[in-house]
């Protein structure tokens, strides 16, 4: 028999090995196998299928061993999903496997040291010299003098319930008896006397829920209507889009659906776009689902990931998994429902490293493999999802009112160019925003300030000659961080000192241009010295998102300044003002999705205001007050926005009317990269038609970490089968390769780029 195996190597293929007779019963699809590879290497991979077709091309080696004796670590549904991902994302199956399996489950080459080790603790049980009788007379047993030993033994007897039940005493951990080390000698003596014995017990690393379980709140009539409509839609469709305004109670609807699904004995996967969000939602879910649930994302330690994985493949799997996009690759034995919350969020897409998958779309695929339903939820659905709903491919359920009849916030658009011209505005804040924040603070309310750039200043510049400090390895200007007094590259992470004088003209007054969240923090503190201010962005990750979010939720801070992270589904009760400081920087992305992003981002940030007992106010500062998208946001006109954007997308043949796939060429030598990209683009144009191949172009940041980048975009019709498109692209690349045009260049692919 032979087995086709996924191995962790960057090659687009499976590898075939012979199954020795001794492994016939364990070498099954999904089992982890270790095999010889190349010269003296040993790799662990996953068996995808077994068969008896002898490979002709080469001599076949044998599988050395199987790691899963008790049944495969990877489920059939996962194998199907992994193969689909590798094909759709055009990446080696080994890269999908690496992304899916915690590293503790895939030991490399020789050593087993990276293998997951269960956490064990030392426990105490009765020794052979401990009489089985109750009650025990300790003075009789230990004499009059051994006071400490008697103390420890009597504590053990009490904790283990020995006197009631000497035959099956409860496990007692050694830790519970040591009294911070003071009793160590006595314990030793008891052990030597054979009165107690040690043994090891496996304990999990996952925290246990200690609160009490509650019923979810009763749904309002509007929510009840929505949940009925969702159930109805699931009768005929596999995917349903819940379009509910911010704070309409979508999360409460999810909770009712989850409960229903679990009560039918099936599992639920709940995906969120952002790790920073998981804690708040976790607390809401835990009150209802307790220890039936777990949280999984890329920042969980590898051991925790292994424990979750093992529990999910075991006899008593979690019922509810809350996670970021990588949770779609977990083993689900009996998946009934997938919820994708904030489904419009671009962060569902993994950019780097490969596999560059879209978490939402992958979740829909997983659900269909498992025979489960998918619910997408958003206040600002992705055009792609909404158009699928409008066309009838997905169900569509709409919730237009906020819970408790709260009004959507009033949105005011403030023209900062005009204010500056008339000298009403000097710093970052317009008088309107300053007044609103002051009012909020005076009435004990909170404010959120949104800006999409972290750091202090946008760039470091010489006012005399225009010199801009740039990264040595990337074609991008640096961002100044005042707190650490460095300029950093947001592409490669490199940090630089800011020179004292201009290296180009010798001028002395280098200055920061533009502003980031750090500078806003400084200005807020200067304007409102009494306010307690916090910042939520990538740089504040070290202090921990949880405490920042918690402090704000519980009123220990008054003003929260943040980047996109504050826009994603956070639920705060007491926010009455939201300020968007520079809408222009949001509206000016050089991308066909700029307007969609701007609408979603600003509508979502605005939605953080006025969620409970207070009407919210949102102030959008901009130099282009007449931008049509701002008016749509002001009127909360999703439909108007949708129609307008769809017209544009149709006219320029962009998604959702077509599909895009980017081919990226990277290399250290610019000419070589350009030559390769041009050659590949030529063959692609022959296949797909020149009108469907854009580029090669240099992207806005065309050099990162010394690598030059050129990009080609391939547009295909919706009807074109993805499998065929991919094989045509591979053919075009092979042609360029056979002409010797792409050596020295790495090509990578990105399906449905964001
Ligand atoms: P969304 O997810 O649509 O933004 P949430 O589910 O976060 O909205 O609801 C907004 C707020 O209203 C939350 O604090 C939530 O607990 C509360 N809420 C929503 N529906 C109900 C309900 N039926 N009963 C009690 N509280 C509710
Ligand atoms: Zn200068
Ligand atoms: Zn850099």
């Amino acid at each position: 028999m032979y087995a086709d195996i996924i191995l962790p190597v960057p090659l687009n293929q499976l590898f075939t090995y012979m199954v020795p007779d001794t492994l016939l019963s364990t070498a099954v699809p999904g089992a982890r196998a270790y095999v010889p590879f190349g010269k003296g290497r040993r790799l662990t991979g996953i068996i995808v299928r077994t068969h008896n077709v002898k490979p002709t091309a080469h001599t076949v080696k044998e599988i050395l061993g199987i790691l899963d004796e008790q049944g495969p670590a990877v489920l059939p549904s996962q194998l199907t999903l992994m193969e689909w991902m590798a094909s759709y994302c055009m990446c080696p199956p080994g890269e999908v496997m690496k992304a899916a399996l915690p590293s503790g489950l895939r030991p490399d080459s020789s050593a087993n040291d990276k293998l997951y080790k269960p956490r064990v603790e030392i426990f105490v049980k009765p020794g052979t010299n401990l009489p089985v009788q109750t009650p025990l007379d300790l003075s009789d047993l230990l004499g009059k003098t051994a006071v400490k030993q008697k103390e420890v033994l009597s504590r053990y007897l009490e904790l283990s319930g020995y006197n009631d039940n000497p035959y099956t005493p409860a496990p007692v951990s050694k830790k519970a008896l040591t009294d911070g080390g003071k009793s160590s000698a006595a314990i030793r003596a008891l052990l030597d006397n054979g009165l107690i014995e040690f043994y090891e017990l496996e304990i999990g690393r996952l925290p246990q829920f200690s609160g009490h379980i509650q019923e979810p709140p009763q749904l309002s009539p509007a929510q009840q209507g929505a949940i009925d409509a969702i159930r109805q839609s699931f009768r005929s469709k596999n995917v349903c889009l819940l379009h509910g305004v911010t704070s309409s109670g979508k999360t409460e609807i999810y909770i009712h659906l989850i409960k229903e699904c679990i009560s039918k004995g099936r599992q639920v996967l709940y995906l969120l776009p952002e790790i920073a969000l998981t804690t708040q939602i976790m607390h809401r879910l835990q009150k209802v689902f307790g220890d039936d649930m777990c949280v999984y994302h890329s920042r969980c330690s590898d051991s925790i990931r292994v424990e979750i994985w093992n529990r999910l493949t075991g006899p008593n799997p979690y019922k509810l998994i809350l996670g970021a996009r990588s949770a779609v690759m977990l083993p689900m034995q009996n998946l009934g429902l997938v919820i994708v919350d904030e489904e419009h969020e671009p962060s569902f897409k993994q950019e780097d490293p490969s596999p560059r998958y879209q978490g939402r779309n992958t979740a829909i695929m997983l659900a269909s493999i498992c025979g489960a339903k998918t619910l997408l939820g958003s206040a600002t659905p992705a055009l792609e999802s909404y158009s699928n709903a409008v066309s009838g491919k997905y169900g569509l359920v709409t919730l237009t009112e906020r819970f408790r009849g709260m009004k959507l916030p009033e949105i005011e658009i403030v023209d900062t160019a005009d204010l500056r011209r008339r000298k009403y505005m000097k710093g970052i804040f317009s008088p309107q925003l300053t007044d609103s924040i002051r009012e909020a603070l005076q009435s004990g309310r909170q404010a959120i300030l949104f800006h999409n750039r972290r750091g202090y200043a946008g760039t470091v510049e010489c006012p005399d000659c225009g010199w801009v400090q740039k990264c040595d390895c990337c074609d991008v200007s640096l961002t100044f961080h005042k707190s650490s007094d460095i300029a950093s590259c947001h592409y490669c992470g490199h940090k630089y000192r800011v020179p004292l004088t201009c290296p180009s003209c010798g001028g002395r007054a280098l200055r920061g241009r533009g502003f980031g969240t750090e500078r806003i923090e400084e200005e807020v503190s200067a304007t409102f010295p009494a306010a307690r201010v916090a910042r939520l962005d990538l740089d504040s990750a070290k202090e921990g998102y949880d405490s920042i979010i918690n402090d704000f939720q519980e009123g220990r801070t008054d003003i929260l300044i943040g980047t996109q992270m504050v826009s994603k589904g956070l639920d705060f009760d007491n926010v009455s003002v939201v300020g968007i400081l520079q809408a222009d920087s949001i509206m000016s992305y050089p991308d066909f999705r700029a307007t969609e992003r701007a609408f979603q981002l600003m509508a979502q940030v605005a939605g953080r205001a006025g969620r409970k007992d207070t009407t919210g106010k949102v102030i959008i500062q901009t130099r282009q007050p007449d931008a049509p998208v701002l008016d749509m946001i002001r009127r909360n006109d999703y439909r108007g926005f949708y129609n307008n954007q769809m017209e544009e997308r149709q006219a320029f043949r962009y998604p959702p009317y077509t599909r895009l796939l980017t081919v990226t060429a990277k290399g250290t030598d610019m000419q070589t990269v350009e030559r390769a990209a041009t050659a590949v683009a030529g063959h692609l144009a022959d296949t797909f038609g020149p009108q469907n191949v854009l580029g090669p172009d240099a992207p806005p940041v065309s050099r990162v970490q010394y690598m030059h980048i050129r990009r080609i975009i391939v547009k295909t019709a919706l009807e074109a089968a993805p499998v065929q498109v991919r094989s045509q692209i591979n053919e075009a690349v092979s042609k360029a390769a056979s002409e010797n045009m792409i050596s020295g260049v790495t090509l990578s692919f990105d399906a449905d780029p964001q």
Side-chain angles (χ1 to χ4, degrees):
M1 197 164 68
Y2 301 93
D4 295 344
I5 301 179
I6 305 180
L7 291 177
V9 291
L11 292 171
N12 258 323
Q13 62 176 99
L14 300 177
F15 296 85
T16 305
Y17 284 83
M18 186 133 68
V19 182
D21 289 345
T22 47
L23 298 177
L24 278 175
S25 63
T26 47
V28 295
R32 291 169 299 154
Y34 50 97
V35 297
F37 190 85
K39 283 196 190 70
R41 271 172 89 196
R42 225 174 88 172
L43 293 176
T44 307
I46 305 169
I47 298 179
V48 176
R49 63 184 70 84
T50 53
H51 55 83
N52 44 30
V53 187
K54 185 178 189 320
T56 45
H58 55 95
T59 51
V60 192
K61 293 182 191 164
E62 277 197 356
I63 295 178
L64 299 172
I66 296 290
L67 283 171
D68 301 311
E69 308 277 325
Q70 265 106 26
V74 179
L75 304 179
S77 56
Q78 288 178 286
L79 292 176
T80 312
L81 188 74
M82 284 185 193
E83 282 203 287
W84 175 80
M85 283 173 78
S87 152
Y88 194 86
C89 303
M90 299 187 76
C91 75
E95 286 178 358
V96 179
M97 177 182 85
K98 278 195 192 167
L101 249 66
S103 54
L105 289 179
R106 44 180 173 87
D108 279 341
S109 57
S110 56
N112 267 4
D113 55 345
K114 253 178 57 196
L115 251 188
Y116 163 77
K117 292 199 186 57
R119 177 194 273 183
V120 291
E121 205 174 297
I122 297 179
F123 278 72
V124 174
K125 64 180 179 186
T128 43
N129 294 341
L130 192 73
V132 185
Q133 71 187 45
T134 55
L136 260 179
D137 185 339
L138 295 190
S139 300
D140 208 36
L141 198 63
L142 288 162
K144 290 225 159 25
T145 49
V147 183
K148 197 75 192 173
Q149 284 188 53
K150 277 192 278 187
E151 204 180 288
V152 174
L153 189 57
S154 97
R155 180 144 175 75
Y156 168 72
L157 297 177
E158 182 196 329
L159 290 175
S160 65
Y162 191 81
N163 283 333
D164 298 331
N165 203 352
Y167 291 99
T168 50
V172 174
S173 78
K174 183 182 162 203
K175 253 201 272 167
L177 301 176
T178 48
D179 192 13
K182 275 182 259 160
S183 314
S184 302
I187 293 178
R188 198 76 240 166
L190 291 169
L191 187 71
D192 292 343
N193 290 332
L195 294 171
I196 59 170
E197 251 172 52
F198 288 165
Y199 68 107
E200 282 187 344
L201 205 60
E202 185 178 336
I203 52 164
R205 289 171 174 85
L206 292 158
Q208 304 273 306
F209 177 67
S210 54
H212 55 262
I213 303 291
Q214 295 167 17
E215 278 297 306
Q218 186 127 38
L219 296 179
S220 71
Q223 293 169 339
Q224 191 59 47
I227 203 170
D228 290 340
I230 293 168
R231 288 190 194 111
Q232 182 65 34
S233 129
F234 279 156
R235 278 189 206 121
S236 56
K237 286 168 185 156
N238 288 328
V239 184
C240 179
L241 173 65
L242 172 59
H243 177 208
V245 293
T246 53
S247 206
S248 54
K250 294 184 290 296
T251 316
E252 304 297 342
I253 292 177
Y254 303 153
I255 292 175
H256 281 259
L257 289 169
I258 295 167
K259 226 182 147 200
E260 206 168 286
C261 183
I262 291 178
S263 74
K264 290 185 195 143
R266 303 190 72 178
Q267 294 168 291
V268 181
L269 177 65
Y270 187 143
L271 294 182
L272 285 171
E274 173 76 56
I275 299 174
L277 255 180
T278 46
T279 312
Q280 213 187 39
I281 300 278
M282 180 191 75
H283 287 307
R284 285 174 74 175
L285 296 174
Q286 240 175 5
K287 281 191 215 150
V288 182
F289 303 106
D291 281 333
D292 283 344
M293 66 175 288
C294 71
V295 179
Y296 186 95
H297 49 66
S298 55
R299 280 226 237 111
C300 293
S301 76
D302 199 68
S303 300
I304 294 239
R305 290 165 69 180
V306 172
E307 278 182 22
I308 290 175
W309 188 288
N310 287 342
R311 171 100 181 250
L312 286 173
T313 49
N316 180 27
Y318 289 109
K319 313 278 171 37
L320 168 60
I321 293 92
L322 175 66
R325 60 173 182 247
S326 60
V328 297
M329 291 181 276
L330 283 172
M332 306 296 294
Q333 298 187 45
N334 194 6
L335 187 65
L337 175 67
V338 180
I339 293 166
V340 185
D341 195 12
E342 312 293 349
E343 63 85 29
H344 63 278
E345 274 291 338
S347 48
F348 274 119
K349 177 72 190 286
Q350 168 141 325
E351 293 298 342
D352 265 315
S354 160
R356 299 178 180 83
Y357 64 104
Q358 214 306 348
R360 180 225 307 135
N361 299 350
T362 310
I364 293 173
M365 181 51 82
L366 172 74
S368 93
I369 292 170
C370 295
K373 304 289 180 187
T374 308
L375 179 62
L376 308 177
S378 175
T380 52
L383 287 183
E384 232 177 318
S385 304
Y386 202 79
S387 67
N388 276 328
V390 168
S391 76
K393 188 171 163 199
Y394 300 168
L396 177 62
V397 173
T398 312
L399 251 180
T400 50
E401 60 182 64
R402 286 186 144 187
F403 180 65
R404 281 203 206 93
M406 292 303 308
K407 283 216 200 60
L408 280 167
E410 177 202 326
I411 295 178
E412 184 180 346
I413 293 164
V414 171
D415 180 352
T416 50
D418 177 60
L419 285 170
R420 281 188 209 285
R421 208 175 311 116
R422 296 192 289 130
K423 306 256 185 294
Y424 283 123
M425 186 176 163
K426 277 214 301 287
I428 300 174
F429 304 123
S430 61
Q432 289 92 324
L433 183 55
T434 315
D435 290 348
S436 304
I437 298 175
R438 182 169 297 120
E439 239 168 73
L441 295 176
Q442 274 162 3
S443 49
R445 303 289 190 190
Q446 294 167 298
I448 291 180
L449 299 178
F450 169 84
H451 186 55
N452 67 345
R453 174 153 207 139
R454 68 196 163 91
Y456 186 81
T459 54
V460 179
E461 242 183 54
C462 171
D464 298 335
C465 74
W467 175 85
V468 173
Q469 191 175 13
K470 286 190 152 190
C471 181
D472 291 343
C473 10
C474 314
D475 177 25
V476 70
S477 52
L478 302 177
T479 300
F480 180 55
H481 294 252
K482 195 174 183 183
S483 58
S484 43
D485 195 25
I486 47 128
S488 82
C489 170
H490 286 186
Y491 279 79
C492 72
H494 238 81
K495 295 178 171 42
Y496 301 82
R497 270 176 206 287
V498 177
L500 292 172
T501 54
C502 171
S504 163
C505 75
R508 282 184 179 279
L510 289 181
R511 62 154 191 228
R513 222 184 106 96
F515 61 91
T517 46
E518 209 183 298
R519 163 98 189 276
I520 297 170
E521 194 177 5
E522 191 177 280
E523 204 164 312
V524 168
S525 300
T527 318
F528 305 102
R532 295 160 301 174
V533 183
R535 181 158 56 84
L536 184 67
D537 57 26
L538 265 182
D539 299 320
S540 56
K542 294 145 228 133
E543 296 142 56
Y545 304 133
D546 288 356
S547 64
I548 295 170
I549 291 173
N550 251 327
D551 284 349
F552 191 65
Q553 186 168 4
E554 278 156 29
R556 286 189 290 274
T557 42
D558 305 307
I559 301 176
L560 182 65
I561 300 158
T563 53
Q564 355 277 12
M565 275 180 208
V566 299
S567 73
K568 297 177 188 173
L570 289 165
D571 181 33
F572 299 116
D573 292 354
N574 197 29
V575 175
S576 65
V577 177
V578 164
I580 294 174
L581 293 173
Q582 202 181 48
D584 314 273
S585 64
I586 306 169
M587 297 187 288
S588 63
Y589 285 125
D591 183 87
F592 72 92
R593 286 201 175 86
T595 305
E596 181 180 3
R597 291 271 191 279
F599 184 90
Q600 289 165 340
L601 196 52
M602 289 196 254
Q604 290 288 344
V605 183
R608 300 312 111 202
R611 289 172 75 90
K612 225 175 244 174
D613 346 301
T614 163
T615 318
K617 173 148 198 186
V618 177
I619 293 187
I620 302 182
Q621 301 190 157
T622 175
R623 288 190 299 264
Q624 317 157 57
D626 298 326
V629 65
L630 291 177
D631 194 47
M632 297 173 199
I633 293 168
R634 198 175 51 72
R635 291 184 286 113
N636 187 39
D637 182 11
Y638 180 83
R639 218 37 215 249
F641 148 78
Y642 173 78
N643 291 334
N644 163 292
Q645 280 305 294
M646 289 297 275
E647 246 169 57
E648 250 176 53
R649 300 284 177 91
Q650 186 166 32
F652 295 100
R653 297 184 49 250
Y654 272 117
Y657 288 97
T658 53
R659 271 193 255 268
L660 304 184
L661 200 148
T662 343
V663 183
T664 303
K666 268 190 197 178
T668 45
D669 180 61
M670 186 166 83
Q671 249 123 41
T672 315
V673 174
E674 253 170 15
R675 209 173 72 118
T678 309
V680 172
H683 288 296
L684 288 170
D686 290 345
T687 311
F688 295 97
Q691 75 283 10
N692 292 319
V693 177
L694 314 177
D697 292 315
V701 177
S702 64
R703 191 173 65 119
V704 173
Q705 288 187 293
Y706 299 111
M707 298 290 239
H708 294 273
I709 306 169
R710 292 294 179 270
R711 208 179 273 162
I712 306 158
I713 297 176
V714 181
K715 266 186 194 177
T716 55
L718 290 182
E719 307 77 58
V723 174
Q724 194 186 348
V725 169
R726 278 143 187 76
S727 91
Q728 286 172 316
I729 290 175
N730 278 327
E731 248 167 63
V733 170
S734 303
K735 275 189 202 148
S738 68
E739 295 157 3
N740 218 355
M741 295 300 276
I742 57 177
S743 52
V745 174
T746 317
L747 293 181
S748 61
F749 305 94
D750 188 0
D752 308 327
Q754 299 258 319

